[in-house]
Amino acid sequence: MYQEEYKRWLAADLQDADLNPELSKIEGNDEEIKDRFAVALKFGTAGLRGVLGAGTNRMNIYVVRQATQGLANWVKTQGGNQTVAISYDSRLKSDVFAKTAAGVLAANDINVRIYDALMPVPALSFATRYYECNAGIMVTASHNPAKYNGYKAYGPDGCQMTDDAAAIVYEEIQKTDVLTGAKYMSFAEGVEQGKIRFVGDDCKQALYEAIESRQVRPGLCKTAGLKLVYSPLNGSGLVPVTQVLKDIGITDITIVPEQEYPNGYFTTCSYPNPEIFAALELGLNLAKETGADLMLATDPDADRVGIAMKCPDGSYELVTGNEVGVLLLDAGADGVEVLRHLEGLLHRDVLRRVGVDGKGQPLQRDAALRAEIGDVPLRVNAGVRAAAASEVHRCAGDLLQRLLQRLADGDGVFLHLPAVVGRSIIHQFQCDITHIGSFNDAGRVIFPRKRARRDPCPARPLPPSSHPDRSHRSRR
């Protein structure tokens, strides 16, 4: 079967000049042909990701066309603005794939808003919401090695596409022939017809203003005298990250020269993950030379950051995501601003799971799941409200434990979850939340004010009856 598909590609008039030499080179090599054609890249909630090259199991313009046709079929059932936002990073062929996707969407009479230069995932998410799009596409393979590229799909809320939507898109992809099934017009033709438009300066400015408005302590950076080294790791972060830093008042910024400009080959580090030492080595050396207080690095699509802080002895220590979370909680007004942000994410995720969007409009969700999850209110401190479900599961267990302990030792917290979610959290982290408070069948976890004992693991959990719910709520 895969041999027939290989021969079909070999005989086709392919528009990507890189594909024919590769196909000719592997002629007669069954293992190489099988690797490329025996299976196809599968579309899921994270979209597509694979090695660049020829075949159904590789990332190329034909696989991108097929995936975009499947997405277009789903978008056409959604009503709304019939618009999709697109961005891309510095990886090999990212710009080509982005324009290819735009051409498929335009041929399907779907409007496109595409960035005129590479921009990171958060910018794509923002543009999706700013233009009230039905979906968003980000061409990237995140922090994987240079031989990879990918295609991430986002829903109208700018978040990763839901399981249900991704399943429908995948079904539509399977109905589409990879070489001939997708509608397509050239990027230039789409622009000429007005179906493809660039993201405007108003959207970009709104993005920067939105980021600046979410400072935990506005104005602090302008007087801190912070000296910083930053590396975009040859990705998409250079322009937006330096702009944000300058907006909040950080002007003493030194860019790692070898990693400053976009380069999809990532020649300075084979694995551009800013959370590992090898990727930060050049930046750390420069930080030592300049005496920087802080060293930051972002991955190619700039949705992941690595941080190294200067220690009193002059050395630099890499900070984990869990540690950053705890520092952020300490930085704000008892962490309330950070909690609001985190809980906003949780609330959004649960709304999607129970079947409504942020405006209360129904989504296509499974009725049984809605009945099982139900409404999920969450109250923390001064009336901050949100909800908890799959986003909680993705939070690091260590951070969650420290967060819960901090709240337990502080002003107290009243947390109300349905039992199915509460038990899921306990199972996910293989920990017992009752060690800190109490957990009953209604899914209620209550942390008393100012526990005299700081040990997070008492011998037995306090029974629910020992926590006066009513008086606890009245104190807020």
Side-chain angles (χ1 to χ4, degrees), residues 242-253:
T242 54
Q243 181 65 55
V244 168
L245 292 173
K246 290 174 182 177
D247 286 345
I248 64 176
I250 300 176
T251 56
D252 192 346
I253 307 169

Side-chain angles (χ1 to χ4, degrees), residues 113-128:
R113 285 283 188 168
I114 184 171
Y115 278 98
D116 55 1
L118 69 170
M119 284 289 277
V121 166
L124 181 277
S125 177
F126 187 86
T128 301

Side-chain angles (χ1 to χ4, degrees), residues 449-464:
R449 283 180 178 272
K450 295 293 182 183
R451 295 173 64 103
R453 181 177 179 180
R454 295 184 60 85
D455 181 5
C457 299
R460 295 183 61 187
L462 297 172

Side-chain angles (χ1 to χ4, degrees), residues 235-475:
S236 62
L238 178 63
V239 172
V241 171
T242 54
Q243 181 65 55
V244 168
L245 292 173
K246 290 174 182 177
D247 286 345
I248 64 176
I250 300 176
T251 56
D252 192 346
I253 307 169
T254 303
I255 309 297
V256 179
E258 301 92 335
Q259 299 172 333
E260 181 172 7
Y261 297 110
N263 179 357
Y265 291 99
F266 306 119
T267 53
T268 63
C269 56
S270 59
Y271 185 50
N273 182 349
E275 294 175 308
I276 63 174
F277 176 79
L280 299 184
E281 189 170 6
L282 288 174
L284 288 170
N285 291 338
L286 186 58
K288 293 173 185 175
E289 291 176 16
T290 60
D293 303 296
L294 197 64
M295 191 264 158
L296 302 178
T298 50
D299 67 338
D301 58 352
D303 63 354
R304 177 180 299 227
V305 63
I307 301 173
M309 297 191 303
K310 188 177 182 180
C311 300
D313 63 0
S315 64
Y316 289 83
E317 181 178 348
L318 273 62
V319 187
T320 69
N322 292 352
E323 291 166 338
V324 172
V326 174
L327 288 171
L328 288 173
L329 287 171
D330 284 330
D334 287 332
V336 169
E337 290 299 322
V338 178
L339 286 172
R340 282 201 182 103
H341 175 68
L342 174 61
E343 291 161 5
L345 294 176
L346 304 182
H347 177 64
R348 177 193 62 213
D349 189 70
V350 170
L351 286 178
R352 290 167 62 186
R353 292 193 71 195
V354 301
V356 297
D357 61 18
K359 298 179 182 178
Q361 299 300 312
L363 295 174
Q364 293 182 346
R365 301 300 296 171
D366 181 78
L369 179 62
R370 290 199 299 272
E372 178 189 21
I373 300 297
D375 184 29
V376 191
L378 169 67
R379 299 175 186 154
V380 177
N381 291 343
V384 179
R385 302 180 62 85
S390 61
E391 279 289 339
V392 170
H393 304 161
R394 287 191 288 273
C395 292
D398 184 41
L399 174 58
L400 179 63
Q401 290 285 13
R402 284 195 250 180
L403 169 59
L404 294 178
Q405 183 61 59
R406 174 180 169 79
L407 294 172
D409 291 339
D411 295 332
V413 57
F414 168 77
L415 182 71
H416 183 193
L417 302 171
V420 62
V421 176
R423 292 194 185 97
S424 181
I425 293 171
I426 290 175
H427 176 74
Q428 184 81 8
F429 297 132
Q430 296 184 0
C431 65
D432 189 351
I433 294 180
T434 60
H435 285 165
I436 299 177
S438 64
F439 179 76
N440 60 24
D441 288 337
R444 181 168 295 172
V445 184
I446 302 174
F447 301 102
R449 283 180 178 272
K450 295 293 182 183
R451 295 173 64 103
R453 181 177 179 180
R454 295 184 60 85
D455 181 5
C457 299
R460 295 183 61 187
L462 297 172
S465 59
S466 66
H467 302 296
D469 294 5
R470 191 169 301 172
S471 62
H472 206 69
R473 283 193 290 266
S474 66
R475 286 200 289 267

Side-chain angles (χ1 to χ4, degrees), residues 33-51:
I33 294 171
K34 183 177 181 180
D35 183 47
R36 288 165 174 78
F37 291 96
V39 297
L41 294 179
K42 185 174 181 180
F43 186 95
T45 55
L48 299 168
R49 182 177 297 166
V51 175

